[in-house]
């Protein structure tokens, strides 16, 4: 299978079968010819990041939108024609026709050929619509999401968020300070210092997972903004910590490292296979304080009566802060997604708060940019729980440090 056919197969799994782009690329690129990996990656990520913009370029050339597979192939091909340098048009079009005949149906080949010839001949279309619609098209975000960000954060912030979501993020790691120091790894010449979190570095190689740094547990893959969560928790040696939505365990392991692996961290997830991810991560880092188990964060019946010094609620969220790394989220996003997420977050926060000792800490975090899931969620909780007060809250915008977008609130139980 050549590079374009492989890219189309991957895009089909992501966009039509709703697979996760980062997992699919990480797992399936291993079987791609090394000389084609960069091209496949660029086509897949480029098409996902610009999904609305590329579709806008060809939609006026069809009377009605074709089936999902043909539309996706046109998206991918238009991305190559208009937004990739040194990509011969004849090669893109010929290969698109070949893929149509082999992987979709021969009857669509004439349509694909005709539409792509029109795009090649006429070039890029000018963007139409009001300012919100133009920004949404230019940066390939749902229009409703851009409108929401404008209403919540203002136009300037909204523009910066949208454009930052088109950036290619570097691979960020967290130094395991139990085994190495930031200075030691910087001295290797294979890392550069992060800008936001104290133990964050950026790897200059291709894939940290295949390096000895990762295999020996010296580093873990974690975005800078995400690393701030454990700093907010601020765990102390010998404390009891609860992480109610822990899988895959990245933050729990960070908490364990910050406590010197002294104390206990009870970690939960509702799915047994995801609990195994937590255990695997703890084993790789040789952490003994992690106690992973199946638990339902909305009730926490599995730990009924148990109390903890610090509790982390890194809740399921809409993920609007990680769109640069996970463009498939914006591809599938619907305005109704938060209708089920917001009540779920409320339930988890209410449930977890019952397990915080007096003078203990409750940290609430999301990887989204949405005040309904963030500031308003915390405000609603505090209005119902006078025994808690907010010590600190922060929204990390993705453009500020070229990190994920995040929200973190640190609450204290005062009585």
């Amino acid at each position: 299978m050549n590079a374009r056919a492989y890219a189309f197969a991957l895009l089909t799994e992501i966009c039509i079968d709703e697979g996760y782009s980062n997992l699919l690329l990480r797992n399936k690129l291993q079987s791609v010819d090394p000389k084609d990996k960069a091209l496949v990656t660029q086509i897949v990520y480029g098409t996902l990041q610009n999904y609305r913009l590329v579709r806008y370029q060809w939609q006026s050339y069809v009377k009605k939108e074709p089936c999902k597979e043909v539309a996706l192939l046109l998206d991918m091909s238009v991305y190559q024609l208009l937004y990739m340098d040194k990509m011969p048009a004849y090669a893109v079009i010929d290969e698109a026709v070949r893929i149509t005949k082999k992987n979709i149906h021969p009857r669509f080949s004439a349509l694909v050929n005709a539409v792509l010839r029109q795009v090649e001949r006429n070039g890029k279309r000018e963007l139409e619509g009001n300012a919100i619609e133009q920004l949404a098209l230019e940066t390939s975000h749902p229009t409703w999401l851009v409108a929401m960000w404008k209403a919540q954060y203002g136009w300037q912030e909204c523009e910066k968020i949208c454009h930052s979501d088109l950036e290619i993020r570097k691979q960020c790691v967290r130094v395991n300070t139990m085994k190495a120091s930031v200075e030691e790894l910087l001295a290797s010449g294979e890392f550069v210092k992060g800008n936001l979190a104290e133990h964050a570095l950026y790897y200059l190689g291709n894939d940290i997972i295949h390096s000895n740094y990762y295999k020996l547990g010296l580093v873990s893959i974690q975005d800078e903004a995400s690393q701030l969560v454990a700093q907010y928790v601020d765990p102390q040696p010998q404390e009891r910590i609860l992480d109610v939505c822990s899988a895959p365990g990245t933050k729990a392991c960070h908490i364990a490292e910050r406590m010197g692996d002294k104390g206990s961290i009870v970690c939960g997830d509702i799915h047994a296979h995801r609990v195994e991810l937590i255990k695997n991560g703890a084993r790789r880092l040789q952490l003994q304080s992690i106690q992973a188990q199946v638990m339902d964060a909305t009730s926490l019946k599995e730990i009924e009566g148990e109390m903890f010094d610090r509790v982390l609620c890194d809740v399921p969220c809409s993920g609007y802060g990680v769109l640069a790394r996970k463009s498939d989220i914006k591809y599938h996003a619907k305005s109704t997604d938060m209708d089920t997420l917001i009540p779920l977050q409320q339930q988890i926060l209410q449930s977890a708060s019952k397990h915080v000792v007096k003078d203990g800490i409750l940290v609430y975090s999301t990887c989204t940019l949405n005040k309904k899931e963030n500031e308003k969620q915390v405000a609603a909780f505090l209005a119902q729980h006078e025994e808690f007060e907010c010590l600190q809250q922060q929204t990390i915008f993705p453009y500020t440090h070229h990190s994920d977008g995040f929200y973190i609130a640190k609450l204290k139980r005062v009585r």
Side-chain angles (χ1 to χ4, degrees), residues 46-58:
T47 302
L48 285 172
Q49 282 190 317
N50 298 281
Y51 78 102
R52 284 198 72 187
L53 182 61
V54 291
R55 189 158 295 195
Y56 176 80
Q57 301 300 336
W58 63 259

Side-chain angles (χ1 to χ4, degrees), residues 30-322:
Q30 305 306 317
S31 57
V32 177
D33 189 316
K35 67 180 175 59
D36 290 332
K37 282 186 180 181
L39 179 58
V40 171
T41 302
Q42 187 176 359
I43 292 172
V44 171
Y45 273 134
T47 302
L48 285 172
Q49 282 190 317
N50 298 281
Y51 78 102
R52 284 198 72 187
L53 182 61
V54 291
R55 189 158 295 195
Y56 176 80
Q57 301 300 336
W58 63 259
Q59 276 181 320
S60 63
Y61 302 126
V62 296
K63 291 181 180 177
K64 63 176 184 177
E65 194 154 305
C67 66
K68 291 178 181 178
E69 291 80 6
V70 170
L72 184 59
L73 180 59
L74 289 171
D75 293 343
M76 182 187 99
S77 303
V78 168
Y79 174 71
Q80 294 170 78
L81 285 173
L82 298 182
Y83 301 99
M84 285 182 70
D85 296 331
K86 300 176 183 177
M87 196 62 63
Y90 72 87
V92 174
I93 297 171
D94 286 353
E95 187 58 37
V97 171
R98 246 193 308 273
I99 292 171
T100 305
K101 291 176 179 177
K102 184 177 180 181
N103 299 90
I104 306 175
H105 198 285
R107 73 174 182 271
F108 297 118
S109 58
L111 170 68
V112 168
N113 183 66
V115 170
L116 294 180
R117 297 284 178 198
Q118 287 269 56
V119 172
E120 179 196 9
R121 189 178 306 118
N122 298 327
K124 297 177 184 177
R125 289 177 61 196
E126 284 191 23
L127 301 180
E128 298 175 354
N130 59 29
I132 289 176
E133 181 66 19
Q134 286 192 33
L135 179 60
L137 283 170
E138 181 189 358
T139 60
S140 290
H141 288 77
T143 303
W144 60 264
L145 180 57
V146 176
M148 185 185 81
W149 281 340
K150 177 181 179 291
Q152 291 185 355
Y153 302 114
W155 180 247
Q156 287 188 334
E157 298 282 10
C158 174
E159 277 190 302
K160 291 176 184 176
I161 294 168
C162 287
H163 285 291
S164 74
D165 284 344
L166 297 178
E167 294 177 357
I168 303 298
R169 295 282 191 259
K170 298 175 183 175
Q171 193 163 56
C172 186
V173 299
R174 177 190 84 236
V175 178
N176 179 0
T177 52
M178 293 181 62
K179 292 190 172 188
S181 69
V182 169
E183 292 71 27
E184 285 171 347
L185 294 187
L186 285 173
S188 73
E190 295 188 69
F191 298 88
V192 293
K193 188 82 174 69
N195 304 306
L196 184 58
E198 58 184 324
H199 301 141
L201 297 178
Y202 287 92
Y203 184 53
L204 301 176
N206 291 324
D207 194 344
I208 192 72
I209 285 181
H210 300 298
S211 73
N212 283 331
Y213 299 112
Y214 185 85
K215 293 175 183 176
L216 297 174
L218 304 184
V219 299
S220 295
I221 298 171
Q222 188 179 15
D223 183 79
E224 286 202 70
S226 175
Q227 292 182 41
L228 292 182
V229 173
Q231 291 181 212
Y232 268 71
V233 174
D234 191 25
Q236 303 301 311
Q238 308 306 334
E239 286 185 331
R240 295 195 77 219
I241 312 289
L242 174 64
D243 182 357
V244 299
C245 302
S246 188
T250 308
K251 297 178 184 70
C253 288
H254 191 194
I255 289 169
E257 291 167 8
R258 291 183 71 90
M259 325 169 50
D261 204 24
K262 296 174 182 175
S264 67
I265 305 167
V266 175
C267 308
D269 192 273
I270 198 166
H271 300 293
H273 71 279
R274 287 178 59 77
V275 171
E276 289 304 310
L277 295 178
I278 304 172
K279 293 178 179 179
N280 290 341
R283 275 193 289 269
R284 182 182 68 85
L285 296 167
Q286 298 178 313
L287 297 169
Q288 307 302 315
S289 57
I290 301 283
Q291 301 168 26
Q293 65 183 77
V294 173
M295 66 171 72
D296 181 352
T298 62
S299 64
L300 295 177
K301 290 179 181 176
E302 299 83 359
I303 55 168
E304 192 168 355
E306 294 188 46
M307 302 298 286
F308 297 84
D309 299 293
R310 297 168 199 267
V311 175
L312 171 60
C313 294
D314 185 55
V315 296
C317 68
S318 54
Y320 303 146
V322 297

